Structures are given as structure tokens and as C-alpha cells.
Amino acid sequence: APERRKRSSWNTFLQAHFESIAATDFFTVEIWTPGGLIRYWVLFVIDLPTRRIEVAGISEAPCGSWTEHAFRSLIDDFDGFLIGKRYLIHDRDPLFTTALDSLLRSAGVRAIRLPPRSPNLNAFAERFVRSIKEECLNRMIIFGEQRLRDVVDEYVEHYHLERPHQGIGNVLIQPSGALPCMDDPVACRNRLGGLLRSYQRIAA
């Protein structure tokens, strides 16, 4: 196998470096404003091993410099979301500029630019987009940018604290509180008027 030392499969790369990989992407949301229906862009980053999400920014008209600015807080040495990460996966969207790749490299993060038309190679980010749209955004009519920000924040909190994830053993990303016993009462938590619901036992 003379090529074995020269190249490896994408799956092999992910398995070898999984703990140090994050991925990023955009998704769009159309909202009603006084000027009519406007499309907004939401930039997010996902930590692959934990499935944690960080919404880096929301903009009506993003550009390359806006994306670079959004990532500056993510590579902060003190509390940046990308602390400890060596690789960041992203597609070939023009908003992911070469200047952004250089900025990431200065923080010790190597940008991995995916081949064209290969969403399956960024499957974790694509799965989050599907989740937030199917469970939340596609079921709502959103009026105004601030409402969009509130809805996205509410969903991400639900995603972290209340929604089990099969990919990490059907557990919560950020469990909180004492472990309840089977005799404790079950409480229902409603978000966004009942659109998002979760059921948890409340420790006595």
C-alpha cells in the first residue's frame, strides 16, 4: 500500500483528532421586519466531541470582515470557545476568507476547507442546522431581529440543558443539579410558549 503514508481517509482523520476538532457553518432564517421579509444569517460553531454550540453572530448582510470579527472572541486566550482546538472545519463559503484562516492560524487553529458540494463531511454542523430548523425555526413566524436572537438563544439553551443527544450516549450536554431518584416528581419545562418541552425529575 504505497499511498498509505501519503494520505488517509476523512473518517480516519476525524477519529484520530476528534477531541481537537470544531466545525463552523452558517444557516439562514427569513424574518418579518417593518421593511418586509428579510433573510438573516446565523454563524455558529460546534465542538465535535461534546456537541456544544456557540452562536458567533447574526447578521442581515454578513461579509468577510464581519466573520473575522466574530471569530476574534472565539479564539480569545482566556475564555474563547476554540481554546484547546487544533482544527476548524468549514466549507468554501466566500465568507470564510483567507484572512480568517490566517487569524485562526495565529491562534494555533488550522482551518480545514472542505471540498465543494460535500455537506456530508460537515455532518455534525449540518445535523444541528436540521435540528434547530425542524424543532423550532420552521414552526415559528419571527418578527424582528431581536426576536430572532431571543429564539436562537432559547433554543441553544434548550439544546444544551434539556435535550438528550444520541451521538453522546443519549445524555444531556450540560446536565445541572443533583441526580434525582426514580421516586422524585416529574416536571415539564416549556420554552417559546410550549414549542420546546422537556421532562425531568426534580430532586427532592
Side-chain angles (χ1 to χ4, degrees):
E3 297 296 318
R4 184 173 299 167
R5 295 182 180 180
K6 298 180 181 179
R7 64 184 68 181
S8 60
S9 70
W10 183 246
N11 187 55
T12 300
F13 171 78
L14 290 179
Q15 291 182 4
H17 303 283
F18 199 64
E19 294 298 323
S20 59
I21 299 177
T24 186
D25 206 350
F26 286 91
F27 64 87
T28 60
V29 187
E30 292 185 341
I31 67 174
W32 286 100
T33 70
L37 193 63
I38 295 179
R39 177 175 296 173
Y40 275 76
W41 298 71
V42 181
L43 172 65
F44 70 95
V45 181
I46 180 170
D47 176 37
L48 266 55
T50 66
R51 306 300 200 273
R52 286 191 306 124
I53 292 291
E54 179 75 9
V55 175
I58 298 175
S59 175
E60 174 188 350
C63 60
S65 59
W66 177 87
T67 306
E68 295 160 27
H69 178 75
F71 267 91
R72 290 188 182 278
S73 63
L74 301 179
I75 60 174
D76 183 81
D77 292 336
F78 180 69
D79 60 355
F81 187 79
L82 293 177
I83 287 179
K85 298 302 172 184
R86 294 178 55 200
Y87 303 98
L88 178 72
I89 299 171
H90 66 70
D91 60 22
R92 292 178 177 266
D93 192 308
L95 294 173
F96 297 123
T97 63
T98 56
L100 172 62
D101 291 351
S102 297
L103 176 66
L104 293 169
R105 189 162 52 248
S106 69
V109 180
R110 178 185 173 189
I112 305 296
R113 190 180 296 266
L114 298 176
R117 296 183 295 278
S118 57
N120 56 310
L121 298 185
N122 202 2
F124 295 97
E126 295 289 340
R127 187 63 183 87
F128 171 74
V129 173
R130 178 180 173 183
S131 296
I132 191 173
K133 288 198 170 185
E134 290 186 352
E135 298 172 15
C136 182
L137 297 175
N138 289 352
R139 302 184 180 188
M140 300 186 68
I141 299 175
I142 301 175
F143 295 92
E145 179 181 345
Q146 186 56 52
R147 178 58 175 165
L148 172 62
R149 293 179 180 275
D150 293 341
V151 168
V152 171
D153 287 346
E154 193 78 5
Y155 181 83
V156 170
E157 189 171 349
H158 167 77
Y159 182 88
H160 285 156
L161 301 177
E162 301 158 356
R163 183 184 184 278
H165 296 267
Q166 293 182 351
I168 54 175
N170 207 35
V171 299
L172 303 179
I173 293 177
Q174 295 177 346
S176 59
L179 292 176
C181 67
M182 295 303 295
D183 295 330
D184 291 331
V186 175
C188 176
R189 171 69 183 270
N190 291 321
R191 294 179 184 268
L192 300 176
L195 183 63
L196 302 175
R197 292 185 178 183
S198 61
Y199 299 87
Q200 296 179 351
R201 291 189 180 275
I202 306 301

